[in-house]
Amino acid sequence: MENGFSGRVIVYKSENSALVLILVRLDDWRKHGSLAELSKCFEEVANQRNVGNKCALLWEDCWSNKQRIVQSRLMFLLGVSQRIPGRLTTARRIDLNIASRFLENNHLNGAITSKFKFGLFLPRRYFRVLQSGFEIDEEAEELLVAAATFSYPRIFQQEGKDYKSYELIRSASLLHTNVVGGLDKLMHAFINDRHPGDIMTYADLEWSGGESYSKLGFEVRGIKQPEPFLLDDETMTRSSRSDGSTNTFPLTKPYTLIYNMGSIKYVKVMDALQ
């Protein structure tokens, strides 16, 4: 099945689930691609989700550069990841080095500057819940299975008191795992530590419609439109501008102009302030 510029549609199936993957191949994009044609892919992703199918859009450079992480995300969507009950884990603050290393290895977008960092640790006594063959240091006292990072607060005045708004910047689970209730537990650890007025985050539309955030009490507050990136044809790395412009991108190397699918802005207001 092909779309206007030969975006490839692949269907994966497991015993309990199915996944529609729309792969954007770079050679086809360079020859025939346009934002208008890409919008047809975006519409197909939305249509698949609207009828209850799991669907993701994947650029070829993402697959080439982050293959292990992409495979893990696909396994998660298919429901075949190693399940770890979040109730067996312990949440606590972690330092910059631990958070950065974990996110670089387990998040598609890697690590980014943040202020507050929390991790979930599975104690050694519960290693027994892991499937045989799961890679782990048997001598370790615990295993970091999930992490989340948060921004500095933006402080506003509300009814004469400081109102603090934070951003959930990154969250990820260990490759090939599904920490059931993990993000909820990390959120609670952060809330108990910082007492925010609200928490804002973004759902990457290429991978989901943000259903997991809705289940945690987040509400949709806006849509961020597709953003342009310059893909270095030699290194297969992306460059972006915060204002969405490509006017001053460096053009000293061969590059390809590509776009992401945009994102959904979510906000969770603490119950006491609703």
Side-chain angles (χ1 to χ4, degrees):
M1 178 179 176
E2 305 290 328
N3 65 28
F5 62 94
S6 299
R8 186 179 179 188
V9 177
I10 308 170
V11 179
Y12 293 98
K13 293 184 178 180
S14 67
E15 291 184 3
N16 302 316
S17 187
L19 167 66
V20 178
L21 179 66
I22 299 179
L23 176 62
V24 182
R25 296 176 291 192
L26 289 171
D27 283 347
D28 293 330
W29 169 255
R30 293 184 181 107
K31 294 175 182 177
H32 310 294
S34 67
L35 185 55
E37 289 292 332
L38 186 61
S39 294
K40 297 178 183 178
C41 281
F42 298 163
E43 292 175 4
E44 178 63 19
V45 172
N47 291 336
Q48 290 287 343
R49 291 173 182 163
N50 286 338
V51 298
N53 295 328
K54 294 179 181 177
C55 187
L57 184 141
L58 177 66
W59 283 86
E60 185 180 351
D61 67 295
C62 185
W63 171 256
S64 298
N65 293 330
K66 301 279 188 175
Q67 191 169 127
R68 293 180 67 244
I69 301 178
V70 170
Q71 288 174 333
S72 178
R73 292 292 299 268
L74 298 179
M75 290 174 64
F76 176 84
L77 291 173
L78 285 167
V80 295
S81 300
Q82 162 71 63
R83 289 171 65 88
I84 299 175
R87 59 183 172 79
L88 301 181
T89 65
T90 300
R92 66 172 183 267
R93 293 274 291 268
I94 56 178
D95 65 27
L96 172 63
N97 290 333
I98 292 175
S100 296
R101 185 165 58 250
F102 186 86
L103 291 171
E104 286 296 334
N105 291 330
N106 297 282
H107 195 288
L108 279 172
N109 295 321
I112 193 172
T113 301
S114 63
K115 174 59 176 176
F116 303 101
K117 309 156 190 71
F118 288 79
L120 285 185
F121 293 85
L122 183 70
R124 182 177 179 179
R125 65 182 179 277
Y126 294 127
F127 285 2
R128 54 183 167 76
V129 304
L130 301 173
Q131 298 171 353
S132 176
F134 191 85
E135 293 185 14
I136 187 173
D137 180 359
E138 296 290 348
E139 300 301 318
E141 291 301 317
E142 59 186 3
L143 175 66
L144 179 59
V145 295
T149 62
F150 301 83
S151 69
Y152 284 85
R154 296 178 64 195
I155 302 176
F156 307 94
Q157 284 291 312
Q158 181 171 295
E159 298 179 356
K161 297 180 180 179
D162 286 347
Y163 179 93
K164 296 181 179 180
S165 176
Y166 295 82
E167 179 179 355
L168 168 60
I169 300 175
R170 293 280 191 269
S171 64
S173 296
L174 185 66
L175 286 184
H176 308 305
T177 69
N178 174 12
V179 184
V180 182
L183 181 55
D184 190 25
K185 193 163 186 175
L186 286 165
M187 290 277 296
H188 275 86
F190 173 75
I191 291 168
N192 290 335
D193 186 76
R194 305 312 306 170
H195 307 290
D198 67 45
I199 300 173
M200 179 269 290
T201 195
Y202 291 95
D204 182 353
L205 279 169
E206 291 183 352
W207 287 95
S208 81
E211 296 81 5
S212 61
Y213 293 126
S214 296
K215 292 177 181 178
L216 294 177
F218 284 82
E219 298 179 352
V220 175
R221 294 293 178 85
I223 303 294
K224 196 172 184 179
Q225 296 302 310
E227 296 178 289
F229 292 84
L230 282 187
L231 177 67
D232 187 313
D233 291 344
E234 296 177 358
T235 64
M236 295 286 278
T237 56
R238 297 185 183 192
S239 300
S240 65
R241 284 177 53 86
S242 60
D243 63 5
S245 169
T246 60
N247 293 336
T248 60
F249 275 129
L251 304 180
T252 57
K253 296 181 179 180
Y255 74 95
T256 300
L257 179 63
I258 63 176
Y259 298 84
N260 69 10
M261 191 173 164
S263 56
I264 304 176
K265 181 179 179 179
Y266 279 91
V267 175
K268 177 180 174 65
V269 179
M270 300 306 103
D271 292 340
L273 298 174
Q274 291 183 342

